[in-house]
């Protein structure tokens, strides 16, 4: 069931208000989300924006919109401490591991994509890389220079924050003032090419040892980190687009600088709604390598981390993340994950059970059941309130269990609503799928091949070599390779 007329409200970080979502082009939505800097394994912090914006895209599509979802890969220009000085994160990793920087980026991009796929995060419509858009970034630097909001200094180009602030006001997104920024930045040490400590790099001249470098009108160098998202969002979504998302940690400086770059080059910010997901804390503390509580997704999936008592499935992580509203903090702990695992199991069991419910043809629809459906959609359309939506879905679970136990009867309309909630909303919109059922497929394949191998064993025992070879060859064609040994035959999926 598609509910086209339903209004979606989202919280716009820029206006600090919950606003009615109105797309620029009716029926179409353009979304840009800042993706990962690919220099390390995907961790719990990546799961939250991955899942949050995946649910947003799924919800919009379910409501009937066509969505173009762009999520970038940062493979150049992101320096340590998110600042203008220091080593490039990817280049540093490459130096430590004696690899090409692009080898590092490729390796971690593939691992990131695989981890997202496990979490049920659909791939974006376009996944552009910063290093593949150097020409667009150079053109943007030139535009900002031409507009008078940047200056060149010793081969580098910096954004002139003071000049911009006089015309447009800098800090509207994060709510920071220049005075505050002065208090929070270090004094220039006299070595810097910048005019002000809060000016930021659009183009950096590469030092002799810097590997990732491209020719430009100013120097051989590389783009500043904030530049790529301005250039790539405009390229794929136009100079004005609907939604820009990312983690709260990107609000300042990354998104503030992006907004300033857009406005300086085009006279308008171009983003209609800014959305920011909050952070994950671990047992009340910020997650970070320096705190010793850094958890990769791989460690969660395998249970190999001192904070974990067991492995947690990707769907348990997804369910755990959706139990909190995306703008609220989410505190991670082993106990919280154990509780999420139980909750998810209940939900999945009801999703299966609903299909087999008996209906009572003579019954009228039950208003309480259609009310649950209303409540679920109201919650999802109210700034994507997934925890409230889940609490209403658990009311549907209770109804399913009561009917399954024979303590209540429902009409066929009610059953259709419950099925829609527990398969379409849970599966297609929230993206929660039944891992146990998928595991069931694996065991089915396992059982079928073992059965076939037993027939082959019988053929061999009867010295029917032609039959035995025929079975082996037929399996090989399906991608199943057989290894014969004294103990019997084993098999592998190629
Ligand atoms: Zn970005």
């Amino acid at each position: 069931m598609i509910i086209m007329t339903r209004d979606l409200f989202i919280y716009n970080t820029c206006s600090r208000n919950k606003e009615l979502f109105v797309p620029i082009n009716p029926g179409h939505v353009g979304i840009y989300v800042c993706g990962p800097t690919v220099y390390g394994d995907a961790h719990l912090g990546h799961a939250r924006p991955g899942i949050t914006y995946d649910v947003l895209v799924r919800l919009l599509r379910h409501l009937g919109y066509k969505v173009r979802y762009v999520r970038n890969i940062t493979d150049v220009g992101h320096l340590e401490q998110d600042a203008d000085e220091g080593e490039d994160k990817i280049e540093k990793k490459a130096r430590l591991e004696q690899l090409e920087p692009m080898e590092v980026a490729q390796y971690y991009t593939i691992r990131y994509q695989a981890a997202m796929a496990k979490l049920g995060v659909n791939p974006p419509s376009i996944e552009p890389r910063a290093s593949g858009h150097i020409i667009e970034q150079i053109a943007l630097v030139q535009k900002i220079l031409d507009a008078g909001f940047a200056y060149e200094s010793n081969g580098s180009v910096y954004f002139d924050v003071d000049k911009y602030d006089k015309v447009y006001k800098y800090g509207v997104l994060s709510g920071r003032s220049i005075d505050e920024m002065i208090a929070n930045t270090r004094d220039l040490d006299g070595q810097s090419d910048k005019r002000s400590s809060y000016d930021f790099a659009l183009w950096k001249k590469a030092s002799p040892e810097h590997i990732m470098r491209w020719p430009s009108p100013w120097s051989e160098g590389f783009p500043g980190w904030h530049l790529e998202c301005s250039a790539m969002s405009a390229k794929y979504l136009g100079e004005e687009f609907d939604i820009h998302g990312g983690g709260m940690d990107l609000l300042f400086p990354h998104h503030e600088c992006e907004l300033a770059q857009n406005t300086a080059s085009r006279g308008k910010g171009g983003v209609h709604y800014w959305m920011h997901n909050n952070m994950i804390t671990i047992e009340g503390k910020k997650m970070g390598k320096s705190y010793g509580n850094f958890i990769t997704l791989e460690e969660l999936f395998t249970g190999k981390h001192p904070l974990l008592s067991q492995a947690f499935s990707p769907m348990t992580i997804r369910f755990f993340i959706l139990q909190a509203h995306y703008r609220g903090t989410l505190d991670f702990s082993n106990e919280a994950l154990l509780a999420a695992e139980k909750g998810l199991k209940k939900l999945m069991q009801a999703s299966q059970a609903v299909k087999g419910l008996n209906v009572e043809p003579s019954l009228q629809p039950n208003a309480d059941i259609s009310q649950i459906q209303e409540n679920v959609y109201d919650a999802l359309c109210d700034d994507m309130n997934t925890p409230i939506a889940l609490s209403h879905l658990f009311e549907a679970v209770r109804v399913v269990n009561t009917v399954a136990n024979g303590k209540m009867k429902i009409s066929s309309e009610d059953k259709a609503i419950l099925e829609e909630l527990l398969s379409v909303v849970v599966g297609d919109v929230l993206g929660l799928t039944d891992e146990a059922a998928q595991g069931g497929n694996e065991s089915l394949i396992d059982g079928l091949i073992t059965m076939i191998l037993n027939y082959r064993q019988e053929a061999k025992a009867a010295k029917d070599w032609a039959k035995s070879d025929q079975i082996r060859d037929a399996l090989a064609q399906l991608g199943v390779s057989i290894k014969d040994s004294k103990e019997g035959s084993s098999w592998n999926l190629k």
Side-chain angles (χ1 to χ4, degrees):
M1 189 201 295
I2 289 174
I3 303 181
M4 296 276 294
T5 55
R6 211 164 263 274
D7 289 332
L8 174 65
F9 286 83
I10 60 179
Y11 182 88
N12 188 347
T13 311
C14 202
S15 69
R16 293 170 190 81
N17 274 320
K18 214 183 271 180
E19 292 178 12
L20 173 66
F21 173 67
V22 183
I24 296 166
N25 300 310
H28 292 255
V29 184
I31 303 179
Y32 186 92
V33 171
C34 293
T37 300
V38 279
Y39 69 104
D41 258 339
H43 52 75
L44 198 50
H46 288 116
R48 197 163 193 200
I51 290 167
T52 298
Y53 300 106
D54 181 57
V55 172
L56 175 68
V57 171
R58 286 165 175 268
L59 176 63
L60 285 163
R61 288 188 175 141
H62 181 66
L63 295 175
Y65 293 103
K66 279 200 163 23
V67 181
R68 182 181 294 164
Y69 175 28
V70 183
R71 187 186 65 208
N72 70 304
I73 295 282
T74 296
D75 58 358
V76 63
H78 196 166
L79 306 187
E80 288 178 296
Q81 282 95 46
D82 300 349
D84 278 346
E85 303 298 331
E87 219 173 337
D88 183 296
K89 293 182 177 188
I90 292 166
E91 195 163 304
K92 182 180 180 187
K93 185 88 178 178
R95 181 172 55 75
L96 295 174
E97 299 192 359
Q98 294 186 304
L99 296 166
E100 271 292 318
M102 282 301 118
E103 240 175 324
V104 172
Q106 176 73 358
Y107 178 78
Y108 288 113
T109 300
I110 289 170
R111 288 177 71 84
Y112 170 77
Q113 290 165 333
M116 288 301 123
K118 279 188 188 165
L119 289 169
V121 172
N122 287 328
S125 324
I126 304 175
E127 195 166 37
R129 285 168 177 257
S131 66
H133 297 75
I134 301 294
I135 292 170
E136 290 83 350
Q137 294 183 70
I138 290 174
L140 182 58
V141 175
Q142 193 59 58
K143 261 185 149 176
I144 299 171
L145 274 168
D146 293 347
F149 294 108
Y151 56 91
E152 188 188 340
S153 179
N154 293 324
S156 292
V157 181
Y158 294 96
F159 193 90
D160 191 335
V161 172
D162 272 325
K163 196 161 174 207
Y164 175 85
D165 186 58
K166 288 196 179 79
V167 182
Y168 294 110
K169 201 158 173 39
Y170 183 75
V172 288
L173 185 60
S174 58
R176 295 185 191 211
S177 69
I178 292 222
D179 293 339
E180 230 176 292
M181 279 176 247
I182 293 170
N184 288 327
T185 49
R186 282 177 298 139
D187 284 341
L188 294 177
D189 55 7
Q191 303 290 309
S192 177
D193 300 329
K194 292 185 196 181
R195 288 181 193 162
S196 297
S197 56
Y198 44 78
D199 287 351
F200 57 91
L202 298 174
W203 187 264
K204 286 280 284 183
K205 182 183 177 176
S207 57
E209 64 277 8
H210 200 96
I211 309 167
M212 286 193 283
R213 50 168 71 216
W214 290 265
S216 82
W218 317 287
S219 64
E220 238 191 39
F222 56 95
W225 170 41
H226 316 305
L227 200 62
E228 60 176 284
C229 293
S230 283
M232 297 191 292
S233 59
K235 175 165 176 143
Y236 297 111
L237 298 171
E239 291 195 343
E240 216 169 325
F241 61 94
D242 296 301
I243 300 170
H244 192 313
M248 203 86 103
D249 53 336
L250 297 178
L251 182 63
F252 188 88
H254 186 55
H255 290 160
E256 194 72 75
C257 296
E258 230 186 288
L259 179 60
Q261 290 165 165
N262 293 359
T263 312
S265 63
R266 333 164 182 162
K268 59 186 177 195
V271 177
H272 282 208
Y273 306 88
W274 286 90
M275 277 179 87
H276 289 94
N277 64 275
N278 214 321
M279 302 288 105
I280 288 183
T281 54
I282 298 195
E283 292 172 345
K285 288 189 218 93
K286 194 178 165 188
M287 183 171 88
K289 286 201 171 122
S290 52
Y291 302 101
N293 62 4
F294 189 83
I295 302 186
T296 68
L297 290 173
E298 192 61 33
E299 287 165 341
L300 281 163
F301 300 159
T302 56
K304 287 181 188 139
H305 192 283
L307 287 176
L308 303 173
S309 65
Q310 59 166 70
F312 289 99
S313 76
M315 279 302 134
T316 302
I317 312 291
R318 188 174 177 110
F319 181 79
F320 167 71
I321 285 175
L322 294 177
Q323 275 182 313
H325 187 253
Y326 77 92
R327 284 195 288 116
T329 53
L330 173 58
D331 193 45
F332 166 95
S333 67
N334 190 66
E335 285 63 40
L337 274 188
L338 286 169
E341 192 179 64
K342 271 193 196 150
L344 176 67
K345 198 172 167 194
K346 264 192 199 164
L347 190 61
M348 289 300 127
Q349 280 169 345
S351 306
Q352 282 302 318
V354 70
K355 294 173 193 160
L357 292 186
N358 292 323
V359 296
E360 192 65 45
S362 59
L363 273 184
Q364 289 299 307
N366 182 333
D368 290 348
I369 293 176
S370 48
Q371 188 58 48
I372 295 175
Q373 185 187 34
E374 278 297 305
N375 294 343
V376 167
Y377 278 101
D378 281 349
L380 287 174
C381 291
D382 179 15
D383 194 26
M384 244 170 58
N385 200 328
T386 55
I388 300 289
L390 278 169
S391 74
H392 291 300
L393 285 166
F394 274 98
E395 287 171 34
V397 169
R398 273 192 291 278
V399 174
V400 168
N401 294 338
T402 313
V403 177
N405 292 335
K407 290 181 182 145
M408 182 183 166
K409 292 191 190 312
I410 51 166
S411 68
S412 54
E413 287 91 339
D414 293 335
K415 184 180 171 182
I417 291 175
L418 292 169
E419 274 198 281
E420 197 250 351
L421 286 175
L422 292 172
S423 63
V424 180
V425 175
V426 169
D428 297 353
V429 180
L430 297 180
L432 295 165
T433 52
D434 194 349
E435 288 164 321
Q438 286 153 11
N441 277 344
E442 267 170 41
S443 59
L444 177 68
I445 292 172
D446 202 73
L448 286 172
I449 295 179
T450 305
M451 187 175 84
I452 293 166
L453 289 184
N454 287 341
Y455 286 131
R456 181 163 171 264
Q457 208 49 49
E458 282 174 26
K460 272 180 153 180
K463 298 202 170 5
D464 186 350
W465 309 118
K467 186 85 180 165
S468 156
D469 288 352
Q470 194 190 355
I471 293 173
R472 184 199 59 210
D473 295 346
L475 285 173
Q477 277 212 329
L478 292 168
V480 182
S481 67
I482 307 294
K483 211 173 136 201
D484 294 317
S485 67
K486 273 184 208 153
E487 290 76 33
S489 305
S490 61
W491 63 276
N492 253 319
L493 280 176
K494 271 184 247 170

